[in-house]
Amino acid sequence: MFGFDGEVTIVDTEYRQDPGERLVPYHLGAIELRSGRVHRLSWDALREQRHPPYPIGPRDLVVAFQASAEMSFHHAMGWPDPVNLIDVKVEFQNLTNGRPRPFGNSLLGVSAYFGLPIISTAEKEAGRALTQKPREQVTGDEWRHLGDYCQSDVQATLNLLWRIEPYINIQLALLRGRYMAAVAHIENAGIPLNMFLLDKIRANWTAIRGRVIQKIDRRYNVFEHDSFRTARWERWLQLNHIPWPRLDSGNLALDSDTFKQQALAYPIVAPMYELRQTLGQLHL
């Protein structure tokens, strides 16, 4: 497949990842495309593995869905990245770029897009629930169930690969795969922060926030004591002859998407949109 004369392996992994923490490996499932050889490794077997159970050299290809997760699993195990990697989810997004995706971008949603067989949402949630238990509390039957669940995702990924394979430009797909591996490295390392400066910003955030609002609000005069006032904003719109979408209730639509579209149509609105975005995204 795609000119590779080594092994082509479809991989899926299950793990636990608490907020802000690196993932904890639970299970790996895989199937080699040509031979049909299956890999099912839960934690007891995984911790003996110093290398992936499949080849990852220049003659081989690894395929995954949301490959950054599988690469983060590699990193948690201390394994290197494959030389060649394809992310089926990314290739689907590339194929459907600009088109409606009525079922979303999840493995369930993409399978539904093509009318391919897939387990139910309830079955998927049941499988995921097992990874919320500490590893030492997972029973033998639960490990087997987790393995079956993981293998069903391997098969679903393989089904998708067959479906979109005719549309894949292998050189660009491999480049995108390298990017997904790089994303996993970034997620594994975290984003470096200047903690001294962050603590300083936090200590002075109220004053900084007030100064930023005061600077931007000079042309609008819609804030009162650092609070956005809808009535003032409506009056400013009327004075500047800017039409604005309204809700069924008759009130102004003040959601982020509306502000973004209005900022594109009326550049004078852009600074207020950016200010609201900034204040809404920073939680210091």
Side-chain angles (χ1 to χ4, degrees), residues 200 204-218 223 225-226 275 279:
K200 190 173 181 180
N204 296 279
W205 176 238
T206 300
I208 294 171
R209 184 178 187 276
R211 289 176 186 174
V212 171
I213 291 174
Q214 185 179 41
K215 181 178 180 180
I216 301 299
D217 195 41
R218 286 172 184 165
F223 276 81
H225 304 301
D226 295 351
L275 174 61
L279 296 180

Side-chain angles (χ1 to χ4, degrees), residues 17 20 31 42 44 56 61 63 66-67 93 125 132 136-137 173 186 196 200 223 241 243 252 271:
Q17 188 166 25
I31 184 170
S42 290
D44 285 343
I56 56 173
L61 175 65
V63 181
Q66 186 89 34
Q93 291 175 308
E125 291 303 322
Q132 300 309 303
E136 60 274 11
Q137 295 181 13
I186 294 169
F196 172 78
K200 190 173 181 180
F223 276 81
H241 307 291
L252 294 177

Side-chain angles (χ1 to χ4, degrees), residues 138-154:
V138 181
T139 68
D141 285 343
E142 288 174 331
W143 280 121
R144 284 188 288 276
H145 179 74
L146 184 62
D148 291 342
Y149 160 64
C150 184
Q151 210 63 32
S152 72
D153 279 358
V154 173

Side-chain angles (χ1 to χ4, degrees), residues 87-98:
D87 189 328
V88 175
K89 178 178 181 179
V90 171
E91 295 312 304
F92 166 75
Q93 291 175 308
N94 180 64
L95 176 64
T96 58
N97 189 21

